[in-house]
Amino acid sequence: MKNPNKFSVLSAAAACLALSLTACGSSAPEKSGADGATGSKPVTLTVGTFNEFGYEKLFEEYETLNPNVTIEHKKAATTNEARDNLTTRLAAGSGLSDIEAVEVDWLPELLQYPDRFTDLTDPAVEGRWLDWKADAAKTADGKLLGYGTDSGPEAVCYNAELLKKAGLPTERGEVAKMLGGTWESYFEAGKKFKAANPDSAWFDSAGAIYQGMSNQLKKVYEEEDGTVIATENQKVKDTYNQVLKASAEDGLSAHLGQWSDDWASGFQTGAFATTLCPGWMLGVIEGNAAGVTGWDVANVFPGGGGNWGGSYLTVPTQSDSQAEAKKLAGWLTAPEQQVKAFTAKGTFPSQKQALESSELLGQTNTFFNGAPTGQIFAERAKAVEVTPFKGTKFFAINDAMQQALTRVDVDKTDDAASSWEKFVTAVKSL
């Protein structure tokens, strides 16, 4: 699931969590645990998610299959909003949903507090997920604190009407060839587009492009032992400079903060021709570009493969119904249900069996000009060769980086050099 990030500073609650969850709130409550009986008593389960998981109809199906269960869905608008809610209530020791969705970028923060989450280890789910997906939710002693939902293999979505106006190829295979396999070829195509169509930008946001590029680095901000390398990592600084050159010097950016109202409106006004798109982005684009024709998906991603986002379902130990919550989380993340979620909202499965499903591979998307999205994102998933290491400070450092990019690309209050210095200061303060 995606990562609509407002690039905001960390909330007080989040800072409290980062410093010491125990010091800020009560100790982990004693509950009945995840191995109790299910199906015998009426129970209401609350499920906290964010953005679009594609679960609305699945909740109805589960209630039909399990008449004793009523589901209340609490959906946050953004991942930041969900994270702030979770960290605040986790520190307070009460108020969390029975199931809480967690985004991969802030999962490492929560793994520091395994006693706050139910161990979901179960023989019934062994081998269900891609290894890297399951491993990311495990503690050092092997506890499984989250069931994987989706993954985010990336392609490039494009507005064919704008490419046509610029005299460039519009058919998805030809577009993929034009974009090529490197970031340099992607930016060169953008220069040709911009020269022919100065009224629109090539891409939406420098922050979005950086996200795609940095997710191809094995180490970004931290070593495995926790050493912060963000400001000394030459690959990070090179990526930062390359993105901002494309934005500020080459004029390829629409200068829109991703997830802002102006960014959403840009899909209606033709403000940009391309945007990087993991599977979960398809529903976002379709929603923002409702009534607009021409959007399509090219089976290509600059620099090889890349994965952006993906989420997990956790069961906090605050829950009074951990066994029922675990059962529901297990059902929602089963291959059959994740294929249905992909059909509903484009959230691409992380389950091995789902990736081989003929139902998944045969899916097309009418809004995206009938693109064979099942096949495209399955191939994009196979192209992912690097999974970046994300330590406990990843989210906070990445938030500081996005603010650095925004100062140059969107706010235009700094140049690349001065904004980098502010990034360095921000990282040192963490």
Side-chain angles (χ1 to χ4, degrees):
M1 178 52 50
K2 64 53 168 277
N3 185 18
N5 189 327
K6 292 182 178 178
F7 313 142
S8 61
V9 295
L10 293 176
S11 69
C16 175
L17 181 79
L19 290 171
S20 171
L21 186 148
T22 301
C24 297
S26 61
S27 58
E30 294 291 336
K31 300 290 182 181
S32 59
D35 298 323
T38 61
S40 58
K41 298 179 180 178
V43 60
T44 296
L45 297 176
T46 51
V47 182
T49 69
F50 45 87
N51 305 318
E52 299 292 349
F53 275 64
Y55 283 172
E56 281 76 4
K57 290 187 177 180
L58 291 176
F59 289 153
E60 295 177 4
E61 182 179 346
Y62 190 82
E63 289 175 331
T64 300
L65 294 171
N66 299 270
N68 68 309
V69 175
T70 299
I71 299 172
E72 292 183 0
H73 189 193
K74 300 179 178 180
K75 185 160 70 173
T78 68
T79 183
N80 269 31
E81 181 182 323
R83 176 179 175 274
D84 284 351
N85 174 73
L86 193 152
T87 54
T88 298
R89 297 178 189 280
L90 197 67
S94 63
L96 288 174
S97 296
D98 296 294
I99 294 175
E100 289 282 353
V102 174
E103 211 273 333
V104 63
D105 284 357
W106 35 286
L107 177 65
E109 297 174 339
L110 304 178
L111 293 179
Q112 299 177 94
Y113 312 104
D115 62 321
R116 303 300 172 123
F117 296 92
T118 301
D119 181 7
L120 300 176
T121 303
D122 192 314
V125 299
E126 286 185 6
R128 172 179 287 185
W129 294 277
L130 296 168
D131 291 345
W132 63 265
K133 183 72 178 181
D135 290 347
K138 289 180 179 177
T139 62
D141 59 354
K143 293 179 180 176
L144 181 63
L145 301 190
Y147 285 165
T149 58
D150 61 323
S151 61
E154 294 198 81
V156 178
C157 289
Y158 65 96
N159 185 325
E161 294 297 324
L162 293 180
L163 296 190
K164 181 180 180 181
K165 187 177 179 181
L168 296 176
T170 59
E171 190 274 329
R172 66 180 70 96
E174 294 179 351
V175 172
K177 186 177 180 180
M178 174 183 71
L179 298 179
T182 67
W183 288 103
E184 288 76 13
S185 60
Y186 172 75
F187 291 135
E188 283 302 315
K191 291 177 184 177
K192 293 178 182 176
F193 171 83
K194 188 66 180 177
N197 188 2
D199 294 334
S200 297
W202 180 236
F203 59 77
D204 49 348
S205 158
I209 299 299
Y210 173 87
Q211 191 87 358
M213 297 175 74
S214 64
N215 276 331
Q216 294 175 326
L217 303 177
K218 191 171 184 178
K219 293 182 181 178
V220 189
Y221 303 133
E222 300 164 273
E223 298 279 7
E224 285 86 347
D225 64 2
T227 303
V228 174
I229 59 172
T231 58
E232 293 84 27
N233 188 340
Q234 191 60 45
K235 291 182 179 178
V236 168
K237 191 165 188 178
D238 289 346
T239 301
Y240 170 88
N241 286 329
Q242 189 177 9
V243 171
L244 290 182
K245 178 181 181 300
S247 166
E249 293 184 25
D250 300 333
L252 302 185
S253 173
H255 307 296
L256 299 173
Q258 203 168 33
W259 319 114
S260 67
D261 291 342
D262 288 341
W263 175 79
S265 298
F267 288 95
Q268 290 287 334
T269 61
F272 47 87
T274 68
T275 186
L276 308 184
C277 59
W280 51 260
M281 185 68 88
L282 299 184
V284 177
I285 294 173
E286 184 174 353
N288 289 329
V292 176
T293 59
W295 279 94
D296 208 324
V297 188
N299 186 1
V300 68
F301 194 70
N307 183 84
W308 180 15
S311 299
Y312 297 82
L313 298 183
T314 67
V315 177
T317 52
Q318 291 181 17
S319 171
D320 291 324
S321 306
Q322 294 173 35
E324 290 280 11
K326 177 185 175 184
K327 180 182 175 183
L328 173 57
W331 185 84
L332 287 170
T333 59
E336 299 85 354
Q337 277 63 255
Q338 280 301 140
V339 171
K340 294 176 183 177
F342 178 69
T343 303
K345 294 294 181 182
T347 50
F348 195 76
S350 59
Q351 295 77 5
K352 295 177 182 176
Q353 184 178 332
L355 298 180
E356 298 174 355
S357 162
S358 58
E359 183 180 355
L360 176 85
L361 296 175
Q363 287 198 29
T364 60
N365 191 308
T366 302
F367 180 82
F368 289 89
N369 193 30
T373 48
Q375 187 67 45
I376 288 174
F377 285 101
E379 293 182 9
R380 291 293 89 218
K382 293 177 182 176
V384 177
E385 297 180 346
V386 175
T387 303
F389 171 74
K390 297 182 180 181
T392 58
K393 293 184 177 179
F394 178 87
F395 185 91
I397 297 173
N398 197 52
D399 188 75
M401 170 58 79
Q402 289 292 348
Q403 291 180 53
L405 294 162
T406 298
R407 285 190 290 268
V408 182
D409 180 52
V410 181
D411 301 336
K412 302 178 182 177
T413 57
D414 286 75
D415 59 22
S418 66
S419 194
W420 176 265
E421 290 305 314
K422 292 178 181 177
F423 167 70
V424 172
T425 300
V427 172
K428 288 180 178 178
S429 71
L430 294 174

